[in-house]
C-alpha cells in the first residue's frame, strides 16, 4: 500500500469540502488582510532603526542555544525588564512567537486536578497547549458570562479562566472587568492573550489589560509582537514565581533555541518607535470609526471586521471577486471556523486611505444585498 494513500485521501476530502489550504503570494493589492494594523511591518524608518541598533551591538547572528544553556544574555534580560515595566507586571519572559508562549504556559502551569475554562473562540495555540496539560478542559460560549458561571460549577482544583482581549475572527472585546470580578469570587486565575491588542491600546501599546488597569486581577498576560508591532516574538507577563516556574517546568521554554539578538533588538526598537508616535493608534481609531459609519451591522471596536457569508465555496468566490477589484481580502473557511460561519476577515490599517475604505465598504454593501 502506498504510504501516502491515507494522506492523499484526507487531502481529497478537504478539497471536496472546498477547504483545501494552499500557500499564496498575492502582490499589488490593497492590503485589507494582514495584521500589520499600524504599518510597522512596512515601515522603512523602523527597519533602519532596528538595523542601526543591531550593527552597533556587535552581537552574534544567532542565540546559539536555549536560554538555560548558551542562549541567555544581558540584552534579553534588559528587554524583559523593559517589557515587564511597560506591561505592569513583576516579570516578562520572551518567546519566539505567541503560539510558543501560549503552548509554554498552558502545557505546564495548570496541573493535574486543575481546570482550564477557555472561551470557545480562543486561538488554536491556547487549545493545543491545554491539551498537553494534565488539567481538565472546559470551553464556555463566546463572551457568555452565564455559561462561564455554569462551567465554573463543574471545575476542580485551581481554575484558570482564559480569554483573548480582542478576538481574531470577530474583532470583539472580552468582558475583562466582568471576568475578573467572577474570578475573584471563585479564587480563579485569569489568563489573557493580547495578540490583537498589543500596540494598539494602552500606554505605549501595552494592551487592554494595561489600559483597564487590571494587572492585579489578571494572573498572566501573553503579548504578541508579530501583529501591530510589525516584528516577531512574544512574551508572558506575570509574577516572578510564574517566571521561575516557566524556566524550570515549561518544555517549550527549556528545549527551544532562544530568540536571536536581532529579534530582541527588534522588539526593543519597535516599542521605542511606537512610544515616539502616539498618533499611529489615533489614526487607526479614525479608520475604524470611518468603516463603522459606512457599514451598519459590521461594526466592531477593533480593526478586525468579520463578514459572515456561510459556505466555503461562496465565501471563497466573494473573496476572489474582491481581489479581482484590487483588494486583498481573504476567506476564512471551515474547519478554521465552524461550518456555516465561513467569512471574509477584513483588517484595517493606518495606511488604508479614506478612498480605499469607502470602496471596500461600498463593495461589501453590494455583496450583502
Amino acid at each position: 500500500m502506498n504510504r501516502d494513500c491515507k494522506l492523499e485521501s484526507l487531502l481529497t476530502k478537504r478539497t471536496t469540502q472546498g477547504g483545501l489550504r494552499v500557500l499564496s503570494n498575492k502582490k499589488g493589492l490593497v492590503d485589507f488582510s494582514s495584521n500589520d494594523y499600524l504599518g510597522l511591518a512596512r515601515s522603512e524608518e523602523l527597519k533602519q532603526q532596528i538595523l542601526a541598533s543591531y550593527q552597533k551591538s556587535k552581537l552574534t547572528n544567532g542565540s546559539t542555544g536555549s536560554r538555560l544553556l548558551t542562549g541567555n544574555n544581558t540584552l534579553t534580560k534588559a528587554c524583559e525588564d523593559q517589557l515587564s515595566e511597560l506591561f505592569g507586571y513583576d516579570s516578562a519572559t520572551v518567546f519566539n512567537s505567541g503560539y510558543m508562549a501560549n503552548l509554554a504556559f498552558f502545557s505546564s502551569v495548570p496541573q493535574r486536578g486543575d481546570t482550564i475554562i477557555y472561551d470557545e473562540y480562543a486561538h488554536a495555540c491556547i487549545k493545543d497547549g491545554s491539551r498537553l496539560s494534565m488539567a481538565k478542559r472546559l470551553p464556555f460560549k463566546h463572551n457568555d458570562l452565564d455559561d462561564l458561571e455554569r462551567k465554573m460549577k463543574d471545575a476542580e482544583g485551581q481554575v484558570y479562566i482564559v480569554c483573548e482581549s480582542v478576538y481574531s475572527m470577530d474583532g470583539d472585546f472580552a468582558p475583562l472587568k466582568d471576568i475578573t470580578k467572577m474570578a475573584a469570587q471563585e479564587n480563579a486565575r485569569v489568563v489573557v492573550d493580547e495578540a490583537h491588542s498589543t500596540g494598539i491600546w494602552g500606554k505605549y501599546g501595552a494592551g487592554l489589560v494595561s489600559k483597564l488597569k487590571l494587572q492585579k486581577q489578571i494572573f498572566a498576560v501573553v503579548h504578541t509582537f508579530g501583529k501591530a508591532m510589525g516584528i516577531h516574538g512574544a512574551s508572558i507577563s506575570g509574577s516572578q514565581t510564574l517566571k521561575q516556574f516557566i524556566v524550570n517546568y515549561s518544555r517549550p521554554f527549556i528545549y527551544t533555541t532562544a530568540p536571536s539578538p536581532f529579534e530582541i533588538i527588534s522588539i526593543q526598537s519597535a516599542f521605542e518607535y511606537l512610544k515616539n508616535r502616539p498618533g499611529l493608534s489615533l489614526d487607526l481609531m479614525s479608520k475604524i470609526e470611518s468603516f463603522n459609519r459606512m457599514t451598519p451591522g459590521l461594526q466592531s471596536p477593533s480593526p478586525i471586521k468579520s463578514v459572515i457569508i456561510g459556505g466555503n465555496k461562496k465565501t471563497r468566490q466573494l473573496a476572489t471577486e474582491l481581489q479581482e477589484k484590487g483588494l486583498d481580502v481573504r476567506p476564512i473557511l471551515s474547519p478554521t471556523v465552524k461550518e456555516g460561519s465561513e467569512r471574509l476577515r477584513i483588517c484595517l490599517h493606518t495606511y488604508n486611505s479614506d478612498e480605499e475604505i469607502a470602496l471596500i465598504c461600498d463593495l461589501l454593501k453590494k455583496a450583502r444585498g
Side-chain angles (χ1 to χ4, degrees), residues 203-327:
K203 188 176 181 180
Y204 307 140
L208 277 175
V209 171
S210 174
K211 180 179 176 62
L212 298 173
K213 295 179 170 54
L214 292 174
Q215 290 96 329
K216 291 183 179 180
Q217 288 78 40
I218 292 176
F219 179 71
V221 180
V222 176
H223 289 88
T224 300
F225 312 135
K227 297 176 173 60
M229 297 310 300
I231 47 169
H232 200 55
S235 70
I236 299 175
S237 299
S239 67
Q240 285 290 347
T241 300
L242 174 62
K243 182 183 181 74
Q244 189 175 15
F245 185 89
I246 288 171
V247 169
N248 279 275
Y249 287 96
S250 178
R251 294 170 69 86
F253 176 86
I254 297 167
Y255 299 109
T256 300
T257 299
S260 70
F262 186 83
E263 290 178 272
I264 299 298
I265 287 173
S266 296
I267 294 170
Q268 292 175 313
S269 298
F271 276 103
E272 182 65 26
Y273 183 89
L274 188 59
K275 180 179 179 180
N276 295 323
R277 291 163 181 78
L280 281 175
S281 60
L282 295 175
D283 190 20
L284 181 63
M285 294 303 153
S286 175
K287 308 288 185 183
I288 294 169
E289 291 171 5
S290 179
F291 184 97
N292 287 349
R293 279 197 309 272
M294 290 187 278
T295 54
L298 293 181
Q299 294 93 338
S300 77
S302 79
I304 302 168
K305 309 298 178 183
S306 189
V307 186
I308 306 295
I309 306 298
N312 280 348
K313 183 178 180 180
K314 185 177 179 181
T315 306
R316 195 192 295 274
Q317 181 180 351
L318 182 53
T320 300
E321 291 174 4
L322 291 171
Q323 290 165 12
E324 288 172 349
K325 289 180 169 59
L327 307 180

Side-chain angles (χ1 to χ4, degrees), residues 75-333:
L75 174 69
T76 303
K77 184 183 184 305
C79 179
E80 290 179 334
D81 289 344
Q82 292 165 1
L83 293 175
S84 64
E85 182 178 358
L86 174 64
F87 300 143
Y89 280 88
D90 292 337
S91 76
T93 308
V94 296
F95 286 86
N96 289 296
S97 70
Y99 200 106
M100 287 298 293
N102 276 310
L103 208 65
F105 181 94
F106 290 104
S107 64
S108 63
V109 178
Q111 303 292 300
R112 186 188 299 275
D114 293 341
T115 305
I116 303 169
I117 308 179
Y118 60 90
D119 189 291
E120 64 177 339
Y121 286 3
H123 193 271
C125 58
I126 293 172
K127 298 174 183 176
D128 288 350
S130 298
R131 289 191 189 100
L132 290 173
S133 79
M134 298 296 179
K136 183 177 182 179
R137 306 186 310 275
L138 298 172
F140 68 94
K141 294 178 182 177
H142 179 55
N143 280 349
D144 189 328
L145 295 171
D146 291 333
D147 193 46
L148 173 57
E149 187 173 18
R150 285 191 291 270
K151 295 300 168 63
M152 291 285 289
K153 296 176 182 178
D154 295 327
E156 57 190 36
Q158 177 63 63
V159 178
Y160 294 85
I161 300 174
V162 189
C163 63
E164 299 180 29
S165 54
V166 178
Y167 284 90
S168 61
M169 286 295 112
D170 292 289
D172 53 343
F173 290 176
L176 292 178
K177 289 185 176 180
D178 292 329
I179 288 175
T180 56
K181 287 178 183 177
M182 185 181 299
Q185 293 169 0
E186 302 293 337
N187 196 30
R189 293 173 173 175
V190 180
V191 183
V192 179
D193 185 330
E194 294 245 45
H196 292 275
S197 55
T198 305
I200 301 176
W201 287 277
K203 188 176 181 180
Y204 307 140
L208 277 175
V209 171
S210 174
K211 180 179 176 62
L212 298 173
K213 295 179 170 54
L214 292 174
Q215 290 96 329
K216 291 183 179 180
Q217 288 78 40
I218 292 176
F219 179 71
V221 180
V222 176
H223 289 88
T224 300
F225 312 135
K227 297 176 173 60
M229 297 310 300
I231 47 169
H232 200 55
S235 70
I236 299 175
S237 299
S239 67
Q240 285 290 347
T241 300
L242 174 62
K243 182 183 181 74
Q244 189 175 15
F245 185 89
I246 288 171
V247 169
N248 279 275
Y249 287 96
S250 178
R251 294 170 69 86
F253 176 86
I254 297 167
Y255 299 109
T256 300
T257 299
S260 70
F262 186 83
E263 290 178 272
I264 299 298
I265 287 173
S266 296
I267 294 170
Q268 292 175 313
S269 298
F271 276 103
E272 182 65 26
Y273 183 89
L274 188 59
K275 180 179 179 180
N276 295 323
R277 291 163 181 78
L280 281 175
S281 60
L282 295 175
D283 190 20
L284 181 63
M285 294 303 153
S286 175
K287 308 288 185 183
I288 294 169
E289 291 171 5
S290 179
F291 184 97
N292 287 349
R293 279 197 309 272
M294 290 187 278
T295 54
L298 293 181
Q299 294 93 338
S300 77
S302 79
I304 302 168
K305 309 298 178 183
S306 189
V307 186
I308 306 295
I309 306 298
N312 280 348
K313 183 178 180 180
K314 185 177 179 181
T315 306
R316 195 192 295 274
Q317 181 180 351
L318 182 53
T320 300
E321 291 174 4
L322 291 171
Q323 290 165 12
E324 288 172 349
K325 289 180 169 59
L327 307 180
D328 189 358
V329 176
R330 308 292 177 95
I332 307 297
L333 309 174

